[in-house]
Every structure is written in C-alpha cells, then in structure tokens.
C-alpha cells in the first residue's frame, strides 16, 4: 500500500493547526526565547520536534511530563535516553540535595569515586575506568588514547553511525569515497584523511579497511541506533573482534544507546570483549556524566602517561569532569536504577509496544517494519535494513513528521530524529496500549 502524499500534506496541516491552538503558552515562550536564543532554543537539536515551535516543559516525573499549557504526555523519548532511569529519580534528587551542602566541584576525587569505578567494572566487565562530561567527550578521549598507543593516525567507524559531535566520526560513504555526513557544519578535519568508513554487517569490507595498517581504533555500536535500530547478523560481532585483533586495531564499543540491552549493555548481554567501552547519558539519572572503561592490558599501557607532568594539556579531561556532583548522581542512579529488575519491567513493555505496532502494520499491509533492542523499539517505513545506508535511504521526513505530530497532539512523545520509543520501569501496559491506539488511528487517517 502506498501513501497518498496530498492526503498526507492535508493531514499534516490540520495537525499543525491543532498543535498551535492547543499550546498558547508554549507559543508565547517560544516568541520570547527567539529574541535572544539562536533559533529560539538553548541547544539546536531542540528545533527538531514536530510543530511550529517546541513544547515548553513545566515538570517531569517518572515516565510523564506536563507542559506549560497543563497538558500531560506519556514520554517515550526520555530525553533521547538521558532520562532512561525515569524523570526526577528520588535517589538522585536526594543525593544532589545532600551534595549541594558540601560542594559540587573541587577538582579532587570525592568519596563516591571508588564505588562508581567498581560498579562500572562489575556491570561491563572492564576493570579500569575514567569519567567524562558526555559520551562525546568520552569517545574523543578513547580515540586519542588509541592513536597515542598505536602510533596510527586513522580511526574506523560504521557508515551512518553516530557517536556524538566527534569530528572524525561525522563521516559516511559516497560510493567508495569517505565524505562528511550530510548536515555536518564546518568540518574541522577532512574525514577522508582521518577516517575509514565501512558498512555495518560487512566483515569483508572491515577486513579490507583495516588491512591498510593505519587504523588505530574501530569505534562502533554493537547495533546501530541513531539511523534506526539495525541489528548485527549472527556471528558478525564475533567476526569483528577477530578481524580487529588480527590487524592489531583496538575495538571501542559505544554503549550510550545500546545500554537498553541490559544493565551491562550489549557488551555484557552478548558476551563481547572490547578493548575500550563508552557509556553516557542515563548513568547519572539526568545529570551530565559519562564514563569510559578499558581492559587491563590497555590500562597498563596508558597509565604511565596519565601520571605525567603534562596530563592537564593532553587533550583528555576537563575542569568539571568527575566532579563530586557527577559522582554522587552516578552512584545514586546506578544503585537504584538500570538494574536487572528494572529491565525485567521495561523490556516486556518494549516487546508489547513492538507487537502492537507490528499488528497495525500487518493489518494495513504496509511495507514498514518494527525493530527492538532491549527496552528500546522503533518503526521504519521500509523492510528491515542490514546497514546504515539502507536505513538512511528509507528516511521519509514528511511521513515521520506527521506520525510524530499526530502522536504529540494525542499525548504521546516519540523521540525526534527517528521513530523510537524507550521504556523505563515507570511506564505501564496502558501507556503502551495508548500508543498502539494512537498509531492505528494515524494509519487509518492516512489510508482513508
């Protein structure tokens, strides 16, 4: 079945009008913000929501938030994973209030430091850790370490990956040429000189790229997430590990989104053996913090440099990194959330959500699919892709915008940039069923 584009455009106009009429206070605040904030928002990604202006949030709790117009939403975005613990986690709020009485930052370790390091080691199986302000920073530090240890200038990434605002990773393939990812603003570096890009699920392409002998590190997600969920073929990740070891290339796994697979991410769930690992976003319960771990072999090689006189100008670290505030939040979040018992609630909700969406797709015989990884699920307007390029080619901005706005106008918030739903223990089966109902009504409106 194909979508009537004229009908789609008409429905989108109706939903735009409904949105504007029902959000007068957000519209007022958006106008005021536009006077002094570039693009009217404090961070540019906030322009990527459906509607003529962003919804301004009044408060968020658990799996819901209320906007300044008093409307409540089931939050299936959760800050694009940043609030995967649920909003306003009591343990984090209490830890921050207590920490506020004793100072947030001294550029010295706090009493929570050893606990956080031990807990990260327990969860992910890598023995040595450092903190960062964001997963972007952690990925930059990991790549810098890899180049330092190997003496090799290049890195390798997956085609259509996303690892934050790391210059070398904003690269894609155009035929057999490495070029900047579409939309990358003012690239600092020529990615053709710094980066080798390979398609996901293509072991031969990876082997060929690493055979040049100039790659220090392969940075990858164990399943692509920011171009839709693309799962690894059977045996693919084991082959990646064999190829990287054979070419003496360090393997860095970015678990920032794939933490949805379980308490230790896909690394623990699937028995992976990375040399380096990055995790960010939810580990601080919403407070900016990330971490990167490494094998003992890597730690033994890098530690002498970490204790050098010039480590403060090495390009690793940051004045506010590893602060008492961040460590208190991380300890509180990891001791009370993102545990196996939390995933035991959240994963079945994601399964139920995926089944509901799949039933609608089947009933209307649409050439769409739904994919799930742990407590994260997503639908796409194409058959299941095996790599990022296939997924990118199927992007339908008009259809996606309509589906998001239709859901938003009916109290359901999906993640911008793609059609992702993330579940926490605070969601309920009723939340899932409400989305299925709204999703079905959108499809019914589309097909007439």
């Amino acid at each position: 079945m194909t979508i009537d584009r004229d009908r789609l455009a008409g429905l989108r106009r109706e939903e735009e009008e409904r949105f504007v009429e029902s959000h007068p206070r957000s519209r007022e605040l958006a106008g005021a913000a536009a006077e002094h904030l570039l693009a009217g928002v404090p961070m540019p990604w906030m322009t990527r929501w459906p509607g003529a202006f962003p919804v301004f949030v009044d408060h968020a709790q658990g799996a819901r938030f209320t906007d300044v117009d008093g409307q409540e939403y089931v939050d299936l975005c959760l800050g694009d994973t940043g609030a995967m613990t649920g909003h306003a986690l009591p343990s984090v709020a209490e830890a921050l209030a207590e920490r506020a009485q004793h100072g947030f930052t001294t550029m010295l370790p706090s009493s929570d430091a050893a606990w956080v390091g031990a807990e990260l080691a327990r969860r992910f199986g890598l023995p040595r850790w450092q903190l960062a302000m964001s997963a972007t920073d952690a990925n930059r530090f990991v790549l810098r370490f890899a180049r330092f240890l190997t003496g090799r200038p290049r890195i390798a990434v997956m085609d259509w990956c996303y690892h934050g605002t790391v210059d070398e990773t904003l690269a894609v393939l155009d035929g057999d040429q490495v070029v900047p990812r579409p939309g990358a603003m003012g690239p600092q570096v020529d990615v053709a000189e710094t980066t080798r890009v390979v398609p996901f699920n293509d072991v031969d392409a990876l082997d060929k790229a690493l055979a040049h002998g100039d790659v220090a590190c392969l940075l990858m997600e164990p399943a692509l997430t920011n171009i839709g969920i693309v799962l690894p073929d059977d045996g693919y990740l084991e082959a990646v590990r064999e190829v990287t070891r054979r070419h003496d290339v360090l393997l860095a796994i970015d678990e920032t989104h794939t933490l949805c697979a379980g308490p230790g991410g896909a690394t623990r769930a699937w028995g992976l053996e990375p040399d380096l690992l990055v995790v960010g976003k939810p580990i601080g319960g919403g407070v900016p913090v990330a971490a990167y771990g490494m094998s003992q072999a890597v730690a033994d090689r890098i530690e002498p440099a970490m204790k050098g006189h010039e480590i403060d100008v090495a390009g690793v670290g940051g004045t506010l990194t590893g602060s008492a505030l961040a460590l208190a939040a991380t300890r509180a979040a990891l001791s009370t959330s993102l545990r196996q018992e939390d995933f035991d609630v959240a994963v079945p909700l994601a399964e139920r959500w995926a089944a509901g969406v799949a039933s609608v797709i089947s009933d209307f015989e649409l050439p769409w699919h739904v994919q799930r990884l742990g407590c994260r699920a997503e639908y796409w307007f194409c058959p299941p892709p095996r790599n990022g390029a296939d997924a990118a080619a199927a992007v339908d901005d008009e259809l996606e915008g309509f589906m998001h706005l239709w859901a938003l106008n009916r109290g359901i918030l999906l993640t911008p940039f793609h059609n992702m739903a993330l579940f926490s223990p605070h969601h309920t089966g009723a939340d899932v069923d409400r989305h299925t109902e709204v999703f079905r009504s959108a499809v019914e409106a589309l097909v007439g």
Side-chain angles (χ1 to χ4, degrees):
M1 178 178 292
T2 59
I3 301 299
D4 184 325
R5 292 289 155 168
D6 290 336
R7 185 179 185 84
L8 172 60
L11 287 169
R12 177 65 183 264
R13 286 192 296 270
E14 292 175 6
E15 292 303 310
E16 291 280 5
E17 292 172 3
R18 177 173 177 168
F19 174 83
V20 170
E21 291 172 1
S22 60
H23 295 87
R25 180 58 177 153
S26 280
R27 184 179 188 180
E28 179 184 353
L29 290 174
E35 293 185 21
H36 299 292
L37 294 176
L38 185 64
V41 289
M43 195 269 284
W45 299 357
M46 295 177 182
T47 65
R48 282 291 308 273
W49 297 96
F53 45 82
V55 169
F56 280 65
V57 176
D58 182 73
H59 62 274
Q61 187 82 33
R64 284 174 162 74
F65 73 91
T66 302
D67 69 19
V68 293
D69 289 291
Q71 300 181 67
E72 186 179 79
Y73 302 82
V74 175
D75 188 358
L76 299 181
C77 172
L78 296 177
D80 194 19
T81 309
M84 185 175 158
T85 58
H87 298 292
L89 197 65
S91 61
V92 173
E94 292 166 7
L96 296 183
E98 181 179 354
R99 188 68 249 174
Q101 304 301 316
H102 300 92
F104 285 152
T105 183
T106 59
M107 213 170 73
L108 289 167
S110 70
S111 57
D112 293 321
W115 187 96
V116 169
E119 176 64 8
L120 291 169
R122 183 189 71 82
R123 283 177 176 245
F124 295 97
L126 292 168
R128 305 297 291 279
W129 289 83
Q130 284 273 286
L131 277 290
M133 287 287 286
S134 68
T136 290
D137 276 349
N139 281 321
R140 288 196 301 106
F141 300 160
V142 160
L143 295 179
R144 186 177 287 273
F145 283 162
R147 289 192 295 265
F148 173 77
L149 291 175
T150 65
R152 297 175 177 179
R154 292 180 186 259
I155 66 160
V157 297
M158 296 294 154
D159 195 22
W160 290 93
C161 68
Y162 188 74
H163 297 285
T165 55
V166 180
D167 289 304
E168 304 102 303
T169 67
L170 294 171
V172 297
L173 288 173
D174 181 7
D176 60 356
Q177 301 297 308
V178 174
V179 299
R181 181 168 179 157
M185 297 179 66
Q188 178 184 356
V189 294
D190 181 355
V191 289
E193 297 295 326
T194 63
T195 309
R196 296 197 181 277
V197 179
V198 297
F200 193 73
N201 277 325
D202 191 332
V203 178
D204 290 340
L206 177 64
D207 196 4
K208 181 179 179 180
L210 301 190
H212 290 277
D214 57 0
V215 172
C217 178
L218 169 64
L219 175 62
M220 67 176 294
E221 292 183 294
L224 297 184
T225 63
N226 261 68
I227 193 66
I229 298 171
V230 180
L231 296 174
D233 291 344
D234 290 342
Y236 172 66
L237 295 176
E238 291 81 1
V240 166
R241 182 67 280 195
E242 187 279 323
V243 170
T244 51
R245 282 179 171 148
R246 177 156 43 84
H247 292 289
D248 293 323
V249 172
L250 293 171
L251 174 61
I253 295 292
D254 185 347
E255 292 272 16
T256 300
H257 280 163
T258 55
L259 182 59
C260 63
T267 294
R268 179 57 67 98
W270 297 345
L272 308 182
E273 298 178 356
D275 300 299
L276 301 140
L277 184 147
V278 169
V279 64
K281 292 195 179 183
I283 65 169
V287 172
V289 63
Y292 55 103
M294 61 201 74
S295 67
Q296 190 63 51
V298 170
D300 288 344
R301 294 169 64 193
I302 199 70
E303 198 153 32
M306 296 289 283
K307 297 178 179 179
H309 177 68
E310 295 180 329
I311 191 60
D312 58 318
V313 293
V316 174
T319 304
L320 298 177
T321 301
S323 69
L325 172 70
L327 286 163
T330 303
R331 181 170 185 171
L334 293 183
S335 61
T336 62
S337 67
L338 303 175
R339 304 160 300 175
Q340 188 58 54
E341 54 262 46
D342 299 306
F343 285 94
D344 289 344
V345 176
V347 171
L349 291 172
E351 292 172 342
R352 182 168 173 168
W353 187 92
V357 170
S359 70
V360 176
I361 292 172
S362 176
D363 289 347
F364 288 90
E365 299 180 345
L366 294 167
W368 303 357
H369 90 283
V370 60
Q371 196 76 282
R372 184 188 63 81
L373 174 62
C375 61
R376 176 186 181 108
E378 188 160 357
Y379 61 84
W380 273 82
F381 312 120
C382 65
R386 289 187 61 248
N387 57 57
D390 289 345
V395 170
D396 189 328
D397 290 330
E398 292 178 350
L399 185 52
E400 179 177 304
F402 165 74
M403 297 295 289
H404 278 247
L405 189 55
W406 182 278
L408 185 68
N409 280 340
R410 289 153 184 82
I412 301 284
L413 185 77
L414 293 167
T415 304
F417 328 130
H418 36 84
N419 307 308
M420 190 270 284
L422 183 67
F423 290 90
S424 75
H426 305 279
H427 287 98
T428 67
D431 295 335
V432 175
D433 295 342
R434 174 58 180 160
H435 174 269
T436 301
E437 176 187 335
V438 168
F439 183 78
R440 181 177 291 276
S441 68
V443 173
E444 288 174 343
L446 279 170
V447 301

